[in-house]
Amino acid sequence: MIIAFLRKHPSRSSSSESGIHERSSPREESGRFHKSSITRLLACLVTALTVTAGLVVVHTPAASAADITTDLGITGGGDVVAGGGRAFIAGDDQLLVVNANGTFNTAVGGLSARSLAITPDGTRLYAAIRDPNEIMELDTATLDTTREISLAEYPCPTNLALSGRWLWVGYGCDQWDGGVVGIDLSSGYRSRLIRVAATYASPKVAAAGNTLVVGDSGLSPASLRVYDVNTLRATLRGIIDGHDYHTGFLGDLAITPDGSTIIAAFPDSDEYFAWDTTSLQKVRAYGPDPDSGSYLPVVAVSADGTHVAAGRGTKSGLGVTLYDSATAAPVYSGALTDHGGLMDLRSLTFSNDDLFAVWRDLDSDHLHLWRLETGTLPESTLTLTAPSTGTGTGADVLTLTGRLTLPDGSAPGEQPLSVTRYVNDSAALTREVTTAEDGTFTFADRPRSAGVIRYDVIWNGSPTVHWSTASATVTLVKAVSSITLSGPETGIVGTQLKFSGVLSQGGQPVGSTTKLRVLREVTNSSGTVVTVLPSVSAIIFDGRFRFMDTPTEAGEYSYRVEFDGDRASLPTTATFDMTVEEAPQE
């Protein structure tokens, strides 16, 4: 289920700080449902039509990532960031949210972001919105908007970098109108702004500690400007001149968390260059890439600074190499090939020790999400056991059990798990359960449907332990249904009659969304007439229903209630016979 949120725009309030305007308006949920073509990603799919009891799914690193990519169903956007156990993808007019294992979580409609930034603790997300020109701050737990900061004087915010209290924005719509502004996020409603530089076009930005790096995005060779940042201003530390290194156009820019090293990708180069931010001297190169036909569009640095992820495009597909940041030694390589068309790598980010990449299929023009498992986190294990129901029915309550086990066998404590029920391969319900301290869990569910019922349980992992998933299936048949019907034994013409009944499935009272049909048959000296009365509904929680009728003639009456059956149970019928007499003469 994808929840669409509509944006509420109260009147703007002005600030004297450099033309910044800010408003605070929680995002309101509209109640509409927004469809998405996102395909679920799971490590294993269980297709057996019988109960799979005690199934264990343990995820291991894949040599090829071709089986863990999915069409996002969007053509615009593409920036991706991760934090707090989820990843966020900017696309078209919505923000897509996935779990750490790549499975779909939700989406926020009405939000067309060009760039994203997330706080280290994953609690706040920042989105650059080009129309209108503003920065939007969201609470990642609720996906509500907590702040909207207007950049009316700095149009087309395109690139974001977050460091401490400062959010740096590379802006610019056309040639020679670009620049960088910094927003002091700690100043609350009246955010303070620093204008840093003017550039040819919307520049790339990277920031960590007291260091800000600004890279020309529309000039070749591209130069990098390095700034010292304090609470009052940004001061130019020096320039890394692209002419000195024959850099060409700038593809992407990253910085180590301590602010000591810049890493840049240049599409025309076969290496990723790294410079010391103090001496402004080149200190190493990552690569060269072994494929002479590669272009190098994206680069990212892990949160602890120990690894550099470098993305490349080749004649045959896409590739990502993970390097030791200090030694430049490659420690992991993943490839994505044989997708039937050219591919354009758009963005790359770390999710703990794994990676998310967004790429475009140039044949279909669709963006795809690629999750790469680097294998650097120890594996957890998740088990799930479904009941051996045998002749179970869609009206039964199923009880499932399982356990989460950490690599070292220690108790995981209370951990949230996401459970999705699938009925004949269609998602019907997603809920959350919590493990006990020892990792065990139990949950009950009434599918209210016959067929193949599959339950998928996912643990999103932690910064030190890899996520895991497990599945179990059970096949249910339709339950035998019945109706009890009661009413008066006799009636008088012109006097209202009241009837009541209960619909049961599998011997248990239960409601249904299927209407109950009511027919009245009257037999007297004039013959037999059958009339269809207004249909009634069985109350969902206990199956009770009521209806009324006012006879207009005497005779033998037979009321029949018919249930056509539903996804959980078979059809059934009940009748109630009575006599209606003429009203006594006064």
Side-chain angles (χ1 to χ4, degrees), residues 40-44 59-62 64-70 72 80 87 89 98-104 320 332 334-336 345 347-351 353-359 368-375 379 460 466-469:
R40 300 183 60 260
L41 294 175
L42 284 174
C44 292
H59 188 83
T60 56
S64 171
D67 59 334
I68 48 177
T69 181
T70 187
L72 295 174
V80 59
I89 305 153
V98 299
N99 296 318
N101 54 28
T103 56
F104 177 68
V320 171
Y332 167 86
L336 185 64
L345 194 58
S347 56
L348 182 68
T349 193
F350 277 87
S351 175
D353 279 10
D354 290 341
L355 295 166
F356 281 112
V358 174
W359 58 274
H368 295 66
L369 179 66
W370 180 20
R371 182 179 54 77
L372 299 94
E373 301 169 17
T374 65
E379 301 290 337
N460 276 329
H466 204 281
W467 62 271
S468 55
T469 183

Side-chain angles (χ1 to χ4, degrees), residues 11-283:
S11 59
R12 296 181 184 269
S13 57
S14 298
S15 168
S16 61
E17 296 287 347
S18 303
I20 279 196
H21 306 279
E22 188 169 322
R23 59 185 181 272
S24 178
S25 57
R27 185 176 303 276
E28 297 184 348
E29 186 173 337
S30 69
R32 294 186 295 112
F33 294 102
H34 179 82
K35 294 182 179 179
S36 169
S37 63
I38 289 183
T39 305
R40 300 183 60 260
L41 294 175
L42 284 174
C44 292
L45 293 178
V46 182
T47 56
L49 299 183
T50 57
V51 175
T52 302
L55 178 65
V56 180
V57 181
V58 181
H59 188 83
T60 56
S64 171
D67 59 334
I68 48 177
T69 181
T70 187
D71 188 340
L72 295 174
I74 57 177
T75 59
D79 195 21
V80 59
V81 296
R86 293 186 293 176
F88 303 85
I89 305 153
D92 289 333
D93 62 347
Q94 60 184 308
L95 176 72
L96 305 178
V97 186
V98 299
N99 296 318
N101 54 28
T103 56
F104 177 68
N105 186 292
T106 189
V108 180
L111 196 157
S112 181
R114 294 300 297 270
S115 181
L116 302 172
I118 194 168
T119 54
D121 62 4
T123 60
R124 287 292 185 270
L125 179 72
Y126 297 91
I129 314 296
R130 294 190 64 166
D131 185 18
N133 300 309
E134 66 182 15
I135 301 298
M136 182 176 295
E137 179 189 75
L138 292 90
D139 182 326
T140 57
T142 63
L143 297 179
D144 287 338
T145 301
T146 52
R147 268 196 291 188
E148 293 178 2
I149 304 170
S150 174
L151 294 177
E153 297 181 11
Y154 308 97
C156 298
T158 306
N159 299 300
L160 298 181
L162 180 65
S163 178
R165 63 192 286 183
W166 289 101
L167 178 67
W168 302 101
V169 183
Y171 67 88
C173 305
D174 300 307
Q175 298 176 359
W176 302 113
D177 73 344
V180 176
V181 293
I183 302 173
D184 183 356
L185 298 173
S186 68
S187 57
Y189 181 74
R190 297 173 63 86
S191 295
R192 189 166 60 86
L193 173 146
I194 296 176
R195 182 174 182 179
V196 177
T199 60
Y200 172 78
S202 180
K204 303 286 185 180
V205 287
N210 67 339
T211 300
L212 168 68
V213 183
V214 177
D216 293 327
S217 60
L219 297 175
S220 177
S223 294
L224 307 178
R225 290 175 173 83
V226 183
Y227 293 84
D228 283 312
V229 179
N230 58 36
T231 57
L232 298 176
R233 63 181 60 86
T235 304
L236 182 64
R237 185 183 303 170
I239 298 175
I240 300 172
D241 194 329
H243 291 87
D244 296 338
Y245 298 96
H246 309 288
T247 55
F249 287 101
L250 178 62
D252 199 10
L253 191 62
I255 191 170
T256 54
D258 60 4
S260 65
T261 309
I262 308 163
I263 302 100
F266 300 94
D268 294 337
S269 174
D270 61 355
E271 295 179 306
Y272 305 82
F273 295 156
W275 287 272
D276 181 274
T277 58
T278 300
S279 67
L280 306 184
Q281 297 299 307
K282 180 180 173 184
V283 291

Side-chain angles (χ1 to χ4, degrees), residues 402-530:
R403 179 186 287 270
L404 171 66
T405 304
L406 298 183
D408 60 2
S410 62
E414 294 185 354
Q415 296 292 331
L417 307 176
S418 176
V419 179
T420 302
R421 180 221 297 154
Y422 287 79
V423 178
N424 298 321
D425 289 329
S426 296
L429 175 72
T430 297
R431 58 186 290 191
E432 186 175 284
V433 299
T434 303
T435 67
E437 287 291 329
D438 64 355
T440 59
F441 62 93
T442 300
F443 64 91
D445 181 58
R446 175 179 282 170
R448 297 184 184 275
S449 180
V452 179
I453 314 298
R454 187 180 85 241
Y455 294 90
D456 293 339
V457 180
I458 298 170
W459 180 56
N460 276 329
S462 73
T464 58
V465 180
H466 204 281
W467 62 271
S468 55
T469 183
S471 298
T473 62
V474 59
T475 298
L476 303 177
V477 300
K478 288 195 172 186
V480 174
S481 56
S482 61
I483 295 174
T484 58
L485 185 60
S486 60
E489 294 182 359
T490 60
I492 303 298
V493 172
T495 302
Q496 187 181 71
L497 306 174
K498 297 181 179 181
F499 301 89
S500 63
V502 177
L503 172 66
S504 297
Q505 297 174 349
Q508 299 295 322
V510 64
S512 174
T513 57
T514 302
K515 294 284 189 179
L516 305 180
R517 188 165 47 252
V518 181
L519 299 95
R520 178 188 64 205
E521 181 180 292
V522 180
T523 302
N524 53 27
S525 58
S526 300
T528 299
V529 176
V530 177

Side-chain angles (χ1 to χ4, degrees), residues 35 292 323 331 413 498 528 540 547 554:
K35 294 182 179 179
S292 60
Y323 297 94
V331 296
K498 297 181 179 181
T528 299
I540 291 298
F547 66 91

